[in-house]
Amino acid sequence: MGTPSHRRGGRFHAVATPIPRRGFNDAITRFWSWAAPLYDARYLQRLVYRPAQDELIAALRAHQPAQVADIACGTGILADRIERELQPEAVYGVDMSTGMLDEARARSTRVQWLTGPAEQLPFDDGALDAVVTSSAFHFFDQPAAVAEFYRVLAPGGMAAVTALSPRHPVPLRRLLGGRWNPAHQPTPAEMRTLFTDAGFTVADQHRVARPAWTLLVSDLITVGVKPSGR
């Protein structure tokens, strides 16, 4: 797919000037372009990614959005599930990795696959009813990404994020004094602050339910709603 431009009633638009990408994010994008086929390994999906995706599916089912975007969609497993299980009017998968998107396009022709960073999404203001992202938030410029989620949502729209969030502080966090870093894993309080600073009302936040043998992966789901009339 080429660069998107004003299709489906202005739901998304061309990004004229890409924002500067950190070297770390560029390296991650190159890595996942190479590793995309490995990402779909059944054991990896079942043990690491599936529990968080199940939480996002449940949040979307409760909200019943018509226009949904999965940000950092990878090979499209979650976006494809959203389309098949919930059948909204439109599902978009957005990722920076061409390798990931190649795998995603082979997975589904019903999802619309777009290239773009989380910090500058290829959608018009208020174009979407829900934005989700799973297991990628630690790679984002987090305040910029959450602000961008708020921008592209219509009033009443929902943003749901699953993010790595250790139950106990780690030495790197103390050394960095809590500042954002390229692999920052926010605490629950930091996630709430990111959402409220962007304008969201936090509707739900809890630990992702995981089988006992996968509890070494400590992640959190945070659901924010854009107030009506904004």
Side-chain angles (χ1 to χ4, degrees), residues 56-169:
L56 293 173
I57 291 285
L60 289 169
R61 182 173 284 113
H63 196 73
Q64 296 186 329
Q67 305 278 339
V68 184
D70 176 19
I71 311 305
C73 65
T75 61
I77 292 174
L78 176 59
D80 179 53
R81 284 189 63 191
I82 292 168
E83 195 282 326
R84 289 185 293 102
E85 297 178 25
L86 304 181
Q87 299 184 341
E89 291 180 11
V91 180
Y92 306 96
V94 183
D95 204 279
M96 286 290 290
S97 165
T98 56
M100 286 289 196
L101 290 174
D102 287 344
E103 297 283 329
R105 291 187 183 101
R107 183 182 305 280
S108 174
T109 59
R110 294 179 298 275
V111 176
Q112 299 183 56
W113 307 106
L114 307 173
T115 303
E119 301 86 355
Q120 189 178 18
L121 296 174
F123 300 99
D124 293 333
D125 295 356
L128 302 174
D129 302 305
V131 171
V132 298
T133 188
S134 177
S135 306
F137 193 66
H138 49 289
F139 295 134
F140 300 165
D141 180 330
Q142 294 165 2
V146 177
E148 187 71 345
F149 298 167
Y150 187 91
R151 179 188 70 78
V152 302
L153 286 172
M158 179 194 80
V161 174
T162 62
L164 294 172
S165 179
R167 296 172 187 270
H168 305 289

Side-chain angles (χ1 to χ4, degrees), residues 19-85:
I19 62 172
R21 300 293 291 170
R22 290 176 173 80
F24 177 83
N25 280 5
D26 290 340
I28 290 297
T29 297
R30 290 192 298 271
F31 169 77
W32 283 117
S33 291
W34 170 80
L38 304 177
Y39 181 82
D40 286 351
R42 288 186 179 181
Y43 73 90
L44 184 66
Q45 288 296 322
R46 184 175 67 253
L47 297 181
V48 178
Y49 297 113
R50 179 84 183 204
Q53 292 171 1
D54 288 346
E55 297 269 10
L56 293 173
I57 291 285
L60 289 169
R61 182 173 284 113
H63 196 73
Q64 296 186 329
Q67 305 278 339
V68 184
D70 176 19
I71 311 305
C73 65
T75 61
I77 292 174
L78 176 59
D80 179 53
R81 284 189 63 191
I82 292 168
E83 195 282 326
R84 289 185 293 102
E85 297 178 25

